Amino acid sequence: MSKPKILYVDDEPLNLMLLKVNFSKQYEVLTAPDGPSGLEILKNNHDIRVVLSDMKMPYMSGIEFIRQATDISPQSSYFIVTGFDFNAEIQEAQQQGLIRKYFSKPFKLNEIDFEIQQSLQLN
């Protein structure tokens, strides 16, 4: 049986590597350094189940990326990862059901894994 695919979009290479190294045993982890690259990966991988995105990135914010990503992959579960405080934009995205949850950096891997597992059971 193949591992569930997740996509992590972040402009910080260290964060991409950290998540990939820690989650590659249980998931197929795809990574992208920015929103446009993430959208391209989604277009070419229709079986991505979970998408995590950094909030502050070049070209587009994490929320902008997720708004476009949901058009490509509406069945995926979406999460924001941010090194900044919870703000009105994140709160609105959560209330609209655009994102399931947000995680603060430095992220807690066990918290992210728990939420990924929960979302995989739902979709």
Side-chain angles (χ1 to χ4, degrees):
M1 190 167 137
S2 64
K3 297 187 267 187
K5 276 189 190 177
I6 65 173
L7 170 63
Y8 181 35
V9 182
D10 195 323
D11 61 321
E12 296 177 43
L14 184 61
N15 287 336
L16 294 174
M17 186 188 71
L18 208 87
L19 197 102
K20 191 168 195 154
V21 164
N22 283 284
F23 286 166
S24 60
K25 283 188 176 146
Q26 64 260 47
Y27 310 112
E28 183 177 340
V29 181
L30 305 175
T31 60
D34 54 51
S37 301
L39 294 172
E40 226 17 71
I41 289 172
L42 278 173
K43 287 176 188 170
N44 296 316
N45 293 274
H46 297 283
D47 55 347
I48 291 174
R49 310 260 312 271
V50 174
V51 178
L52 299 110
S53 177
D54 187 21
M55 182 62 184
K56 300 236 186 238
M57 300 182 290
Y59 311 115
M60 63 178 69
S61 74
I63 299 292
E64 290 173 292
F65 161 71
I66 290 172
R67 286 193 195 287
Q68 292 181 40
T70 56
D71 290 338
I72 298 166
S73 186
Q75 77 284 357
S76 298
S77 295
Y78 293 90
F79 298 90
I80 283 288
V81 181
T82 183
F84 299 91
D85 290 336
F86 184 77
N87 63 33
E89 189 178 17
I90 295 171
Q91 182 178 11
E92 183 180 323
Q94 233 177 340
Q95 289 171 342
Q96 292 172 348
L98 190 63
I99 61 170
R100 287 179 48 88
K101 188 172 172 118
Y102 87 100
F103 303 105
S104 296
K105 288 182 184 176
F107 43 73
K108 296 174 183 78
L109 294 168
N110 59 341
E111 180 186 2
I112 292 174
D113 188 37
F114 176 80
E115 291 296 333
I116 290 172
Q117 289 295 328
Q118 293 294 311
S119 65
L120 289 173
Q121 290 174 10
L122 295 174
N123 67 7

